[in-house]
Amino acid sequence: MAPPPAISFDTSPSQYKHWRLAIDGPVATLAMDVREDAGLSSDYRLKLNSYDLGVDIELADAVQRLRFEHPEVHSVVITSAKDRVFCAGANIMMLRGSNHGWKVNFCKFTNETRLAIEDASRHSGLKFLAALNGICAGGGYELALACDEIFLVDDGNSAVSLPEAPLLGVLPGTGGLTRLVDKRRVRRDLADFFSTLVEGIKGKRAVAWRLVDAVHPTSQFNDAVRRRASELAAASDRPPSGPGIVLSALEPTVTESAITYSAVALTMNRERRTAELIVHAPTDPQPTRPDGMLEAGDRFWALRAFRELDDALLRLRINEPEIGTIVVRTEGDCERVLSVDRALTEHREHWLVREILHLMKRTLKRFDLTSRTFFALIEPGSAFAGSLFELALAADRSYMLDDADGVNVIQLSGLNGGFLPTSNGLSRLQLRYLAEPNRPAELLQRQGPFSAREAGEAGLVTFVPDDIDWDDEVRLAVEARAAFSPDVLTGLEANLRFAGPETMETKIFGRLTAWQNWIFQRPNAVGEHGALKSYGEQGRPDFDWKRT
Amino acid sequence: MAPPPAISFDTSPSQYKHWRLAIDGPVATLAMDVREDAGLSSDYRLKLNSYDLGVDIELADAVQRLRFEHPEVHSVVITSAKDRVFCAGANIMMLRGSNHGWKVNFCKFTNETRLAIEDASRHSGLKFLAALNGICAGGGYELALACDEIFLVDDGNSAVSLPEAPLLGVLPGTGGLTRLVDKRRVRRDLADFFSTLVEGIKGKRAVAWRLVDAVHPTSQFNDAVRRRASELAAASDRPPSGPGIVLSALEPTVTESAITYSAVALTMNRERRTAELIVHAPTDPQPTRPDGMLEAGDRFWALRAFRELDDALLRLRINEPEIGTIVVRTEGDCERVLSVDRALTEHREHWLVREILHLMKRTLKRFDLTSRTFFALIEPGSAFAGSLFELALAADRSYMLDDADGVNVIQLSGLNGGFLPTSNGLSRLQLRYLAEPNRPAELLQRQGPFSAREAGEAGLVTFVPDDIDWDDEVRLAVEARAAFSPDVLTGLEANLRFAGPETMETKIFGRLTAWQNWIFQRPNAVGEHGALKSYGEQGRPDFDWKRT
């Protein structure tokens, strides 16, 4: 089964096929109601609220829209519109039929969506209550685990379960194992037992083992959910009322070789397996106060450029698997970027500014987690300042032209000082200067730009070739990179990009995902007689019993 | 190429084929001098001080013996006895010809050996200086990275390098990437560049990039090394003089189905793919003071039992790949274990006691890192007390018989309170009670044993079946576990066992190793035209260019 050729991540509630979004004052309800016949491929049917990437794209969209479009919503109930079924998890036939890269990218996106739920809770005061009104298996339970609290109906039948290991020979790969022991702090031996049970655990035992927060009989379930959702809403620091701003469709111009947005362009060179990613600084003056930003809405550069960047990264991952090396450039007026950064820093307490800053942060995390090489090229006319300089810091390397006349500069802003942290909680400057912990503060003190030589001496960029060397050095670096084994680069970057502390988030993408990807390669899962491949067929899988 | 059938980990300096150990007062020199023709298999030649498992077994032995047999040694110079070659890393032809499991176990052992070097430095005052007197590539540089300091000869030729990615399409998998950015805090972009260079980096640039601590011209190199080794020795808190104790060969009785030591026995049931691991409490009174322990030497139960356990785990891993589920039992008198624990706790400042405690700790870490399922069975007559109760805490689950008369008990000792931490720095009790951080201290306060019911209520054991259920419940649990996909269990356990914080050590086994194992499965590395498989042959490897 070939994955559908070009996936778009643009959607909106009126287009949803699989979710129903209802808003009742401060409480929103997001009810899963997956259309069996509306999967991304016709090779499988999405039975029992099982999901594929298309279902998750809608979920991600809904969470994003609630943050921007509905500041008056303070809590979200995630439940199912189907009777006695919450969610059966990722669709098994979809997984069975997908190639390795699709499985990996599917899991990466669903992980990012669940982390976006937790990000909304932690940073944006939007609390999530999973109301499990029926069976809740695998990815369904992993979605519940991403919520702040989990209520399970006590109907004698509904249970939570992670049956991936016993049924499919793969891990619950959407953060489930990590959240069990690290977020919900389920005892590791109980987690071990639970993760090997097909039938799952229900009722009081599910509460005692910390798998859910409460169980309620069917007759009282909806009331209990409503009550708790209101309580969660009451504690929120979101604005008491709207309006929010509307996130309109991005509608890039897509050609055979380029995706062009208003402030972002991604141009592919398929023959060389490279691409150029350009982000443009604002070309017009931008609002500097929240009322102006509210009025500008999604046309405000900071929001628009980073939404576009996010979309470009997603399309790159899913639709362009062979483009391995991306040259990152910026263009425009540094001062305009710095002016936006100053406005965001100053008004960071405003709900919309807060949302924009966290969206910028999540987009940069998506960049960190994109398994492609990024080389930032800093040339005269570029705008690697403040928030856009984060792209150079996030890149695997940066090359800055040491021009004779010192026109080529970079500059820091307050946003580089911790507003846009990586998954491990550090700013990209802190991550860069692990060996010199005082350096970020020193560099941030400096008002004004850094020339290439200054940036090189300060360690803010990797290499500073002069005019004579520039063309060859950059060309050879890109060519050499594009000739490497794609797999070893994925492993290399996944290790070098995540120095320093680990968090639940980095554990999900490092430890959990890396093991899952290994299992996704193993004949015991995906071989002809592997557990995932033979699921639903006669007979038991045929395992190679060697433990590795 | 099949791995040699049964590997023994017993060796001693007089038997070394590949290392020369010389002791000069407080400074030992461990010089690599690999015999090309003395690899574990005759399918490859160990050229240029490249190594296989046999070479690393000797290194691990040497480090262990220095700790116990030579307390008067305070620093170790790790160098090469060959001219202009320090070490070329793991033997590529060995890797090329090895099956997946062998590669994984080889890397796990070499990682543990390097971590044992760091453990000796951090906890035992034994400092290591890597004296790179010639080319130092791949695993050779990873060995250097495990040392406290790295000196590189400045001869215009000798460089440090990690050429695995460009040459072989695999990661430097023995902690190299992690130590670069997390231990030596090399900037991530410089680490990226360095890790893609075949030729490596030498001279002043190697120092500026923090890859080595110093470079010295050939004429001054030996003097500089000697001087620095003496300085490192002078700062040690090890005893000024010996004698140490001798670690004699373990010499277990090995039959077709069992390995039997003095205090440990491992019995295989190959048909069921299970084994029973028994550890016996002391049968005789044990010394309670350091002088008695010194006199008992390696016959002292604490040292003997844990050395035997360590050896059993290593043989299990390497020689018994299909034994996936291990039932862990203990036998004997709890009070004798507790008495040993008390003596160790009381005299923990004594050098020998310190060494014994750290060996116990390392053995238990080896247990945590063994990719087999462990179920502890706690029955009357068992000795799950104090240090031996760590085995139940380390197990994936524990089953404790709820006997009618309350004879079956477990007990804690001071050693459970942080003397035997896991790789992430927590005690196993802390790891167990992440949700109740005060619980470990409360439980440790209790003097006296816990009955099955008490242990169950306190959460110290997983399940407490009664006499009626015991046989069936345990049998079914073992049978069910043995029927799982071995790979999914490896992934499951690697996630559930390591809740809580991550350390450089856990990152090496989690993040780095998991990605490396994934790469070790990928056709781009090990397929017919993969980079590792085709190394040394005509033509370039043939890559699938899809990035994953």
Side-chain angles (χ1 to χ4, degrees), chain A residues 388-404:
Chain A
L388 288 192
F389 186 64
E390 289 288 320
L391 294 171
L393 292 171
D396 298 292
R397 299 180 201 163
S398 52
Y399 292 80
M400 184 168 183
L401 176 67
D402 181 8
D403 57 336

mmCIF file of all heavy atoms in Angstrom, chain A residues 388-404:
data_model
loop_
_atom_site.group_PDB
_atom_site.id
_atom_site.type_symbol
_atom_site.label_atom_id
_atom_site.label_comp_id
_atom_site.label_asym_id
_atom_site.label_seq_id
_atom_site.Cartn_x
_atom_site.Cartn_y
_atom_site.Cartn_z
ATOM 1 N N LEU A 388 14.488 34.522 14.294
ATOM 2 C CA LEU A 388 14.948 33.809 13.090
ATOM 3 C C LEU A 388 16.354 33.250 13.266
ATOM 4 O O LEU A 388 16.726 32.295 12.588
ATOM 5 C CB LEU A 388 14.880 34.713 11.848
ATOM 6 C CG LEU A 388 13.483 35.022 11.308
ATOM 7 C CD1 LEU A 388 13.585 35.678 9.926
ATOM 8 C CD2 LEU A 388 12.606 33.774 11.224
ATOM 9 N N PHE A 389 17.144 33.833 14.171
ATOM 10 C CA PHE A 389 18.456 33.255 14.432
ATOM 11 C C PHE A 389 18.321 31.883 15.099
ATOM 12 O O PHE A 389 19.239 31.051 15.030
ATOM 13 C CB PHE A 389 19.332 34.190 15.279
ATOM 14 C CG PHE A 389 20.736 33.688 15.453
ATOM 15 C CD1 PHE A 389 21.580 33.551 14.354
ATOM 16 C CD2 PHE A 389 21.216 33.322 16.702
ATOM 17 C CE1 PHE A 389 22.874 33.054 14.501
ATOM 18 C CE2 PHE A 389 22.508 32.830 16.864
ATOM 19 C CZ PHE A 389 23.343 32.700 15.763
ATOM 20 N N GLU A 390 17.172 31.627 15.725
ATOM 21 C CA GLU A 390 16.947 30.281 16.286
ATOM 22 C C GLU A 390 17.088 29.213 15.208
ATOM 23 O O GLU A 390 17.465 28.079 15.495
ATOM 24 C CB GLU A 390 15.564 30.186 16.936
ATOM 25 C CG GLU A 390 15.426 30.966 18.244
ATOM 26 C CD GLU A 390 16.167 30.347 19.425
ATOM 27 O OE1 GLU A 390 16.157 29.103 19.565
ATOM 28 O OE2 GLU A 390 16.760 31.108 20.217
ATOM 29 N N LEU A 391 16.767 29.549 13.962
ATOM 30 C CA LEU A 391 16.916 28.575 12.874
ATOM 31 C C LEU A 391 18.379 28.203 12.673
ATOM 32 O O LEU A 391 18.702 27.048 12.389
ATOM 33 C CB LEU A 391 16.338 29.137 11.573
ATOM 34 C CG LEU A 391 14.827 29.370 11.560
ATOM 35 C CD1 LEU A 391 14.427 30.124 10.294
ATOM 36 C CD2 LEU A 391 14.089 28.035 11.642
ATOM 37 N N ALA A 392 19.259 29.192 12.812
ATOM 38 C CA ALA A 392 20.686 28.899 12.684
ATOM 39 C C ALA A 392 21.169 28.082 13.876
ATOM 40 O O ALA A 392 22.004 27.177 13.737
ATOM 41 C CB ALA A 392 21.481 30.199 12.571
ATOM 42 N N LEU A 393 20.634 28.402 15.055
ATOM 43 C CA LEU A 393 21.016 27.650 16.251
ATOM 44 C C LEU A 393 20.481 26.222 16.196
ATOM 45 O O LEU A 393 21.099 25.294 16.711
ATOM 46 C CB LEU A 393 20.476 28.350 17.507
ATOM 47 C CG LEU A 393 21.104 29.697 17.856
ATOM 48 C CD1 LEU A 393 20.329 30.361 18.989
ATOM 49 C CD2 LEU A 393 22.569 29.533 18.249
ATOM 50 N N ALA A 394 19.319 26.053 15.586
ATOM 51 C CA ALA A 394 18.727 24.718 15.494
ATOM 52 C C ALA A 394 19.373 23.887 14.396
ATOM 53 O O ALA A 394 19.296 22.659 14.426
ATOM 54 C CB ALA A 394 17.225 24.837 15.236
ATOM 55 N N ALA A 395 20.010 24.542 13.439
ATOM 56 C CA ALA A 395 20.614 23.823 12.320
ATOM 57 C C ALA A 395 21.792 22.972 12.795
ATOM 58 O O ALA A 395 22.405 23.246 13.823
ATOM 59 C CB ALA A 395 21.080 24.819 11.262
ATOM 60 N N ASP A 396 22.098 21.953 12.027
ATOM 61 C CA ASP A 396 23.225 21.097 12.390
ATOM 62 C C ASP A 396 24.550 21.824 12.254
ATOM 63 O O ASP A 396 25.489 21.558 13.001
ATOM 64 C CB ASP A 396 23.185 19.832 11.528
ATOM 65 C CG ASP A 396 21.910 19.050 11.804
ATOM 66 O OD1 ASP A 396 21.787 18.529 12.919
ATOM 67 O OD2 ASP A 396 21.015 19.025 10.941
ATOM 68 N N ARG A 397 24.604 22.705 11.312
ATOM 69 C CA ARG A 397 25.771 23.588 11.175
ATOM 70 C C ARG A 397 25.299 24.916 10.601
ATOM 71 O O ARG A 397 24.261 24.978 9.948
ATOM 72 C CB ARG A 397 26.796 23.037 10.179
ATOM 73 C CG ARG A 397 27.373 21.721 10.529
ATOM 74 C CD ARG A 397 28.377 21.332 9.440
ATOM 75 N NE ARG A 397 28.592 19.907 9.451
ATOM 76 C CZ ARG A 397 29.135 19.232 8.439
ATOM 77 N NH1 ARG A 397 29.530 19.893 7.350
ATOM 78 N NH2 ARG A 397 29.308 17.936 8.526
ATOM 79 N N SER A 398 26.115 25.951 10.792
ATOM 80 C CA SER A 398 25.834 27.232 10.143
ATOM 81 C C SER A 398 27.109 27.723 9.479
ATOM 82 O O SER A 398 28.207 27.577 10.018
ATOM 83 C CB SER A 398 25.310 28.245 11.159
ATOM 84 O OG SER A 398 26.166 28.325 12.270
ATOM 85 N N TYR A 399 26.942 28.261 8.305
ATOM 86 C CA TYR A 399 28.049 28.851 7.546
ATOM 87 C C TYR A 399 27.735 30.329 7.376
ATOM 88 O O TYR A 399 26.667 30.672 6.883
ATOM 89 C CB TYR A 399 28.170 28.188 6.169
ATOM 90 C CG TYR A 399 28.620 26.740 6.233
ATOM 91 C CD1 TYR A 399 27.711 25.723 6.535
ATOM 92 C CD2 TYR A 399 29.943 26.399 5.999
ATOM 93 C CE1 TYR A 399 28.126 24.401 6.611
ATOM 94 C CE2 TYR A 399 30.365 25.075 6.067
ATOM 95 C CZ TYR A 399 29.458 24.076 6.369
ATOM 96 O OH TYR A 399 29.867 22.774 6.444
ATOM 97 N N MET A 400 28.657 31.182 7.795
ATOM 98 C CA MET A 400 28.429 32.621 7.706
ATOM 99 C C MET A 400 29.549 33.239 6.879
ATOM 100 O O MET A 400 30.728 33.077 7.197
ATOM 101 C CB MET A 400 28.406 33.229 9.110
ATOM 102 C CG MET A 400 28.082 34.720 9.125
ATOM 103 S SD MET A 400 27.732 35.287 10.820
ATOM 104 C CE MET A 400 27.308 37.003 10.488
ATOM 105 N N LEU A 401 29.158 33.928 5.834
ATOM 106 C CA LEU A 401 30.149 34.532 4.937
ATOM 107 C C LEU A 401 30.895 35.658 5.650
ATOM 108 O O LEU A 401 30.288 36.610 6.144
ATOM 109 C CB LEU A 401 29.454 35.093 3.686
ATOM 110 C CG LEU A 401 30.381 35.846 2.725
ATOM 111 C CD1 LEU A 401 31.390 34.897 2.074
ATOM 112 C CD2 LEU A 401 29.576 36.573 1.652
ATOM 113 N N ASP A 402 32.207 35.502 5.678
ATOM 114 C CA ASP A 402 33.045 36.556 6.243
ATOM 115 C C ASP A 402 33.332 37.566 5.142
ATOM 116 O O ASP A 402 34.342 37.490 4.456
ATOM 117 C CB ASP A 402 34.343 35.926 6.770
ATOM 118 C CG ASP A 402 35.265 36.960 7.395
ATOM 119 O OD1 ASP A 402 34.848 38.123 7.566
ATOM 120 O OD2 ASP A 402 36.411 36.591 7.716
ATOM 121 N N ASP A 403 32.389 38.491 4.965
ATOM 122 C CA ASP A 403 32.511 39.464 3.874
ATOM 123 C C ASP A 403 33.501 40.560 4.251
ATOM 124 O O ASP A 403 33.663 40.904 5.424
ATOM 125 C CB ASP A 403 31.143 40.070 3.531
ATOM 126 C CG ASP A 403 30.489 40.732 4.741
ATOM 127 O OD1 ASP A 403 30.827 40.353 5.899
ATOM 128 O OD2 ASP A 403 29.643 41.616 4.555
ATOM 129 N N ALA A 404 34.126 41.079 3.265
ATOM 130 C CA ALA A 404 35.191 42.064 3.512
ATOM 131 C C ALA A 404 34.664 43.314 4.203
ATOM 132 O O ALA A 404 35.316 43.888 5.073
ATOM 133 C CB ALA A 404 35.864 42.430 2.188
#
